[in-house]
Amino acid sequence: MKLFDYQRADTPEQAAASAVAPGTRFIAGGTNLLDLMKLQVETPERLVDVSRLELAKIETREDGGVTIGAMVPNSDLAADPHVIRNYPVLSRALLAGATGQLRNKATTGGNLLQRTRCYYFYDVATPCNKREPGSGCSAIGGVNRILAILGTSDQCIATHPSDMAVAMRALDATIVTVKADGDRRRIPMAEFHRLPGDRPHIDTILEQGELITHVELPSPPPGGRHAYRKVRDRASYAFALVSVAAVIEVEDGRIAKAALAFGGLAHKPWRDPEVEHILIGQTPGKALFEAAADALVRDARGFGHNDFKIPLARRTLIATLQDLTGGR
Amino acid sequence: MRFTINGRLHEVEPDIRTSLLDLCREHLGLTGPKKGCDHGQCGACTILVNGRRVNSCLSLAVMHQEDEIVTIEGLGEPGSLHPMQQAFLHHDGYQCGYCTPGQICSAVGMLDEIAKGWPSHASTDLEQVSLDDAEISERMSGNLCRCAAYPNIVDAIREVAGADARTGSDVGA
């Protein structure tokens, strides 16, 4: 591990101001950052410790929504009674990720900022545009079983590894931040993570020094049916090959609302308005679900080892919709 | 830096990069926590920080100076074993023993999570947690045992939990 300076922040504003210099990183749970620092994939010159900031509360707002502090551990968020009752898709997604030990340390803000698990990103002996801009992509034409089929570029086919973020995308979460100059901003989850394009080394739209302070969930839709379905190579402690976070409302035998977000498919939690548009107003059934699944993968492209994800994503969506609606 | 480990205060000045695992093993002579993968994948380094199980290899020591840290040495010693240590002995929950300190710390932390009503991926009902073998396997999936002593590890944990609900399902952590 490269040597770094360490300092602890007392307030979010102070943390943001002291992280404005390039090469500075925030550290909270550290479960991803320290892993990457040991491999020298990440080589920060300075760490600003934000783990003791007063941002570890889960608060219910008057509108029925929830405000989650960025330092709330994944374990606590998954087990929160209000979250379990009103946002079970979020609890399920969190519990499908990592292990008990990791969830105890990993934070809400840090989970959103996880780096990809692409093998080549981790292997400093190989070219990787995300790790070293301009060096090339080893995954295209290489071993790419776990990598993306949607929203890829000719420079990067990495996936975002989070389960939690997929549920937050389906729930239309808002990310609240404080910038180095003290300004605050609210970022819709849809805009928070980027597609790789020609700058795959940038994962999110956050600026240098910008600190996530909270995640807000809008008030839960009454009567929504929630599911998080994760397909992976082993039954526990594995990243998603394909996952679906689904919140569906059925009224009078028709789908009134559908929020569907996908993990394991792209550089960001994937959501396609066309898929939801096909479903809304219709009577649940196999043919309808197949039409939605066709729309999901219409622009999908496999890279060899990950070709299987195209039919797998289709089938995972269809099975999830059947489970939630009973439509056959 | 000052650390409270197993109820004792320690003052040491390790390199800023030192993990909690290396602090224990290399600076304080607490060699119970084991270095398996050093990347949070195997769980051999599991310790309890403020009562919660964590991977000590993925924790910077400097960030944990205010915390109450407990390693396997702090759970119990020969002559006064923790019930979980006793149960691992009784059920032969190991072969080579390398993963055992992490398994035991993890199991102690895990049963505390059950007591708090925390659900898991294996829970059918998120609001009604019960402990069966599928739950134990899921909740212990962060601790690998390359000798594959899993059936006896599950037996030991079930005994301590007082759970007698044997599901008969395969016990693959």
Side-chain angles (χ1 to χ4, degrees), chain B residues 15 18-19 34 56 61 69 74 77-78 96 106 111 114 122 127-129 135 140 152-153 157-158:
Chain B
D15 186 289
T18 307
S19 67
K34 295 291 186 281
S56 61
I69 296 162
E77 290 181 339
C96 80
S106 185
L111 290 186
I114 299 253
E127 297 185 81
Q128 278 291 330
V129 173
E135 284 277 0
M140 292 296 291
N152 294 1
I153 292 171
I157 295 171
R158 192 192 314 106

Short mmCIF file of all heavy atoms in Angstrom, two decimals, chain B residues 15 18-19 34 56 61 69 74 77-78 96 106 111 114 122 127-129 135 140 152-153 157-158:
data_model
loop_
_atom_site.label_atom_id
_atom_site.label_comp_id
_atom_site.label_asym_id
_atom_site.label_seq_id
_atom_site.Cartn_x
_atom_site.Cartn_y
_atom_site.Cartn_z
N ASP B 15 2.65 2.14 11.79
CA ASP B 15 2.55 2.85 10.51
C ASP B 15 1.08 3.15 10.25
O ASP B 15 0.19 2.37 10.59
CB ASP B 15 3.12 1.93 9.42
CG ASP B 15 3.20 2.60 8.06
OD1 ASP B 15 2.13 2.84 7.44
OD2 ASP B 15 4.32 2.87 7.61
N THR B 18 -1.40 0.53 8.87
CA THR B 18 -1.61 -0.73 9.57
C THR B 18 -3.10 -1.06 9.73
O THR B 18 -3.89 -0.24 10.17
CB THR B 18 -0.97 -0.66 10.98
OG1 THR B 18 0.39 -0.25 10.81
CG2 THR B 18 -1.03 -1.99 11.69
N SER B 19 -3.45 -2.28 9.35
CA SER B 19 -4.83 -2.74 9.55
C SER B 19 -5.02 -3.17 10.99
O SER B 19 -4.05 -3.43 11.71
CB SER B 19 -5.13 -3.92 8.61
OG SER B 19 -4.35 -5.04 8.99
N LYS B 34 -6.62 -14.44 12.19
CA LYS B 34 -5.71 -15.00 11.19
C LYS B 34 -5.76 -14.22 9.88
O LYS B 34 -6.81 -13.70 9.49
CB LYS B 34 -6.08 -16.46 10.91
CG LYS B 34 -5.89 -17.38 12.10
CD LYS B 34 -4.41 -17.57 12.42
CE LYS B 34 -4.17 -18.59 13.52
NZ LYS B 34 -4.42 -18.04 14.87
N SER B 56 -11.18 -7.63 10.18
CA SER B 56 -10.14 -6.73 10.69
C SER B 56 -9.12 -6.38 9.61
O SER B 56 -8.43 -5.37 9.70
CB SER B 56 -9.44 -7.34 11.91
OG SER B 56 -8.80 -8.55 11.58
N ALA B 61 -6.38 0.56 11.48
CA ALA B 61 -6.30 0.67 12.95
C ALA B 61 -6.55 2.11 13.41
O ALA B 61 -7.29 2.34 14.36
CB ALA B 61 -4.93 0.18 13.43
N ILE B 69 -12.62 -3.31 21.14
CA ILE B 69 -12.27 -4.39 20.21
C ILE B 69 -12.10 -5.69 20.99
O ILE B 69 -11.47 -5.71 22.05
CB ILE B 69 -10.97 -4.01 19.47
CG1 ILE B 69 -11.22 -2.77 18.59
CG2 ILE B 69 -10.45 -5.18 18.63
CD1 ILE B 69 -9.97 -2.05 18.15
N GLY B 74 -10.09 -12.57 23.67
CA GLY B 74 -10.92 -11.88 24.66
C GLY B 74 -12.24 -12.57 24.92
O GLY B 74 -12.94 -12.25 25.88
N GLU B 77 -10.59 -18.15 27.45
CA GLU B 77 -9.27 -18.76 27.46
C GLU B 77 -9.40 -20.17 28.00
O GLU B 77 -10.41 -20.52 28.60
CB GLU B 77 -8.33 -17.93 28.35
CG GLU B 77 -8.00 -16.58 27.74
CD GLU B 77 -7.06 -15.77 28.61
OE1 GLU B 77 -6.98 -16.04 29.82
OE2 GLU B 77 -6.43 -14.86 28.04
N PRO B 78 -8.36 -21.00 27.82
CA PRO B 78 -8.41 -22.35 28.40
C PRO B 78 -8.77 -22.27 29.87
O PRO B 78 -8.20 -21.48 30.61
CB PRO B 78 -6.98 -22.87 28.19
CG PRO B 78 -6.50 -22.14 26.97
CD PRO B 78 -7.13 -20.77 27.05
N CYS B 96 -8.01 -28.15 10.44
CA CYS B 96 -6.68 -27.55 10.66
C CYS B 96 -6.75 -26.42 11.69
O CYS B 96 -5.76 -26.09 12.32
CB CYS B 96 -6.08 -27.05 9.36
SG CYS B 96 -6.70 -25.44 8.80
N SER B 106 -17.24 -14.70 14.40
CA SER B 106 -18.35 -14.42 13.49
C SER B 106 -19.65 -15.01 14.03
O SER B 106 -20.71 -14.36 14.00
CB SER B 106 -18.03 -15.00 12.11
OG SER B 106 -19.02 -14.66 11.18
N LEU B 111 -25.05 -14.44 16.22
CA LEU B 111 -26.17 -14.74 17.13
C LEU B 111 -26.70 -13.47 17.79
O LEU B 111 -27.90 -13.36 18.08
CB LEU B 111 -25.73 -15.76 18.19
CG LEU B 111 -25.49 -17.18 17.66
CD1 LEU B 111 -25.20 -18.14 18.81
CD2 LEU B 111 -26.68 -17.69 16.84
N ILE B 114 -29.09 -12.04 15.33
CA ILE B 114 -30.37 -12.75 15.40
C ILE B 114 -31.19 -12.24 16.59
O ILE B 114 -32.39 -12.00 16.49
CB ILE B 114 -30.14 -14.27 15.57
CG1 ILE B 114 -29.37 -14.81 14.36
CG2 ILE B 114 -31.45 -14.99 15.82
CD1 ILE B 114 -30.15 -15.63 13.40
N ALA B 122 -31.79 -15.39 3.71
CA ALA B 122 -32.50 -16.66 3.80
C ALA B 122 -33.84 -16.53 4.51
O ALA B 122 -34.61 -17.50 4.58
CB ALA B 122 -31.63 -17.69 4.54
N GLU B 127 -39.74 -9.77 8.93
CA GLU B 127 -40.11 -9.31 10.27
C GLU B 127 -40.16 -10.42 11.31
O GLU B 127 -40.36 -10.16 12.49
CB GLU B 127 -41.47 -8.58 10.21
CG GLU B 127 -41.40 -7.33 9.35
CD GLU B 127 -42.68 -6.52 9.37
OE1 GLU B 127 -42.87 -5.76 10.34
OE2 GLU B 127 -43.48 -6.65 8.43
N GLN B 128 -40.02 -11.68 10.86
CA GLN B 128 -40.08 -12.82 11.78
C GLN B 128 -38.87 -13.70 11.54
O GLN B 128 -38.89 -14.58 10.69
CB GLN B 128 -41.36 -13.62 11.55
CG GLN B 128 -42.59 -13.07 12.23
CD GLN B 128 -42.53 -13.20 13.74
OE1 GLN B 128 -41.92 -14.12 14.26
NE2 GLN B 128 -43.15 -12.26 14.45
N VAL B 129 -37.82 -13.44 12.30
CA VAL B 129 -36.57 -14.18 12.06
C VAL B 129 -36.53 -15.43 12.93
O VAL B 129 -36.77 -15.37 14.13
CB VAL B 129 -35.37 -13.28 12.38
CG1 VAL B 129 -34.08 -14.06 12.30
CG2 VAL B 129 -35.35 -12.10 11.42
N GLU B 135 -30.48 -20.58 7.51
CA GLU B 135 -30.13 -19.25 8.04
C GLU B 135 -28.68 -19.23 8.51
O GLU B 135 -27.94 -18.27 8.26
CB GLU B 135 -31.05 -18.88 9.21
CG GLU B 135 -32.45 -18.44 8.80
CD GLU B 135 -32.51 -16.95 8.42
OE1 GLU B 135 -31.46 -16.28 8.47
OE2 GLU B 135 -33.60 -16.48 8.07
N MET B 140 -23.34 -17.22 7.82
CA MET B 140 -21.92 -17.51 8.02
C MET B 140 -21.16 -17.58 6.69
O MET B 140 -20.01 -18.06 6.65
CB MET B 140 -21.77 -18.83 8.79
CG MET B 140 -22.26 -18.79 10.24
SD MET B 140 -21.29 -17.67 11.29
CE MET B 140 -19.72 -18.56 11.36
N ASN B 152 -20.13 -29.60 11.04
CA ASN B 152 -19.88 -29.55 12.49
C ASN B 152 -19.91 -28.11 13.02
O ASN B 152 -20.28 -27.87 14.17
CB ASN B 152 -18.55 -30.21 12.81
CG ASN B 152 -18.56 -31.71 12.50
OD1 ASN B 152 -19.58 -32.23 12.03
ND2 ASN B 152 -17.46 -32.37 12.75
N ILE B 153 -19.50 -27.17 12.17
CA ILE B 153 -19.59 -25.75 12.56
C ILE B 153 -21.06 -25.38 12.78
O ILE B 153 -21.43 -24.74 13.77
CB ILE B 153 -18.95 -24.85 11.49
CG1 ILE B 153 -17.42 -25.07 11.46
CG2 ILE B 153 -19.29 -23.38 11.73
CD1 ILE B 153 -16.71 -24.39 10.29
N ILE B 157 -22.90 -24.08 16.25
CA ILE B 157 -23.65 -22.82 16.36
C ILE B 157 -25.09 -23.09 16.77
O ILE B 157 -25.66 -22.40 17.61
CB ILE B 157 -23.61 -22.06 15.01
CG1 ILE B 157 -22.16 -21.63 14.70
CG2 ILE B 157 -24.54 -20.86 15.03
CD1 ILE B 157 -21.97 -21.06 13.31
N ARG B 158 -25.68 -24.15 16.20
CA ARG B 158 -27.07 -24.47 16.54
C ARG B 158 -27.20 -24.80 18.02
O ARG B 158 -28.16 -24.40 18.67
CB ARG B 158 -27.57 -25.64 15.69
CG ARG B 158 -29.08 -25.81 15.78
CD ARG B 158 -29.60 -27.12 15.18
NE ARG B 158 -29.03 -27.43 13.90
CZ ARG B 158 -28.11 -28.39 13.71
NH1 ARG B 158 -27.68 -29.10 14.74
NH2 ARG B 158 -27.63 -28.62 12.52
#
